Amino acid sequence: AQVLVVTHLAQVAAYADRHLVVEKADDASAAVSTVTWVTGEDRLHELARMLSGTAESKVALAHAAELLEQSAAAATAVRAPQ
């Protein structure tokens, strides 16, 4: 089964198997939307941006790293044989 979740909450996004960022840019004549798959450091910075509004906040980066660690631990626990 697949589930598609659209969220503005980093606490939810951290648990995703794949993290996609949708951005919209427009000028006077047209609007363009892009979808980017973020992984690794890019994902960490995106989660930090979602938490604080800036990807450069040291506190937000630490919190984002903690969220990713927690989600990885939860995924490992779910996949572990019973």
Side-chain angles (χ1 to χ4, degrees), residues 7-28:
T7 185
H8 291 93
L9 296 174
Q11 296 86 341
V12 173
Y15 283 82
D17 291 332
R18 289 184 177 65
H19 188 149
L20 304 171
V21 177
V22 179
E23 295 178 297
K24 178 183 170 187
D26 59 34
D27 59 23

Side-chain angles (χ1 to χ4, degrees), residues 3-70:
V3 176
L4 175 65
V5 177
V6 177
T7 185
H8 291 93
L9 296 174
Q11 296 86 341
V12 173
Y15 283 82
D17 291 332
R18 289 184 177 65
H19 188 149
L20 304 171
V21 177
V22 179
E23 295 178 297
K24 178 183 170 187
D26 59 34
D27 59 23
S29 62
V32 176
S33 296
T34 59
V35 179
T36 306
W37 180 8
V38 291
T39 60
E41 287 293 312
D42 291 335
R43 184 174 186 198
L44 179 69
H45 284 270
E46 177 59 19
L47 289 170
R49 187 196 64 76
M50 292 172 74
L51 288 164
S52 71
T54 177
E56 305 309 318
S57 165
K58 290 180 182 179
V59 172
L61 285 167
H63 188 190
E66 181 180 10
L67 287 172
L68 289 172
E69 289 170 11
Q70 290 173 351

